[in-house]
Amino acid sequence: MSLNDLQPIVIDTIVGLTLTSVVVLAVFVGFCVIVGFTKTKRTTGEGKVVKSLDERMSHHAVEYLAPTAPRGPADQLRSPELVEAAARK
């Protein structure tokens, strides 16, 4: 094989890899754009972003707990160790 025989093979390989990379990148970007647009559908309220799957399925806004709401038996802010330490001070 001479250099003249290898040149078309090398060029065609580079062109093929480049076109394949461009197609894969276009599919990836297209998928990201389509999935991104589905997140901008309004479910409730004035917001455009779906915050959770529950909000998406029920079409009701999620009610978040207030900072002062009790967190159940495992409330880390009211653990016995912290209550004792606060009582000592």
Side-chain angles (χ1 to χ4, degrees), residues 43-65:
T43 57
T44 58
E46 297 297 320
K48 290 187 175 185
V49 177
V50 177
K51 295 176 185 75
S52 68
L53 182 61
D54 183 45
E55 182 180 331
R56 175 78 176 175
M57 301 304 287
S58 68
H59 297 287
H60 296 291
V62 175
E63 294 181 21
Y64 295 101
L65 292 174

Side-chain angles (χ1 to χ4, degrees), residues 15-88:
V15 169
L17 289 173
T18 304
L19 288 177
T20 303
S21 299
V22 168
V23 168
V24 169
L25 184 63
V27 168
F28 179 71
V29 169
F31 177 78
C32 290
V33 167
I34 289 171
V35 169
F37 281 140
T38 61
K39 290 183 179 181
T40 60
K41 291 182 181 178
R42 288 185 186 193
T43 57
T44 58
E46 297 297 320
K48 290 187 175 185
V49 177
V50 177
K51 295 176 185 75
S52 68
L53 182 61
D54 183 45
E55 182 180 331
R56 175 78 176 175
M57 301 304 287
S58 68
H59 297 287
H60 296 291
V62 175
E63 294 181 21
Y64 295 101
L65 292 174
T68 58
R71 304 286 195 255
D75 191 358
Q76 294 177 356
L77 297 177
R78 309 250 191 284
S79 67
E81 294 84 8
L82 292 177
V83 171
E84 288 176 12
R88 280 186 259 146

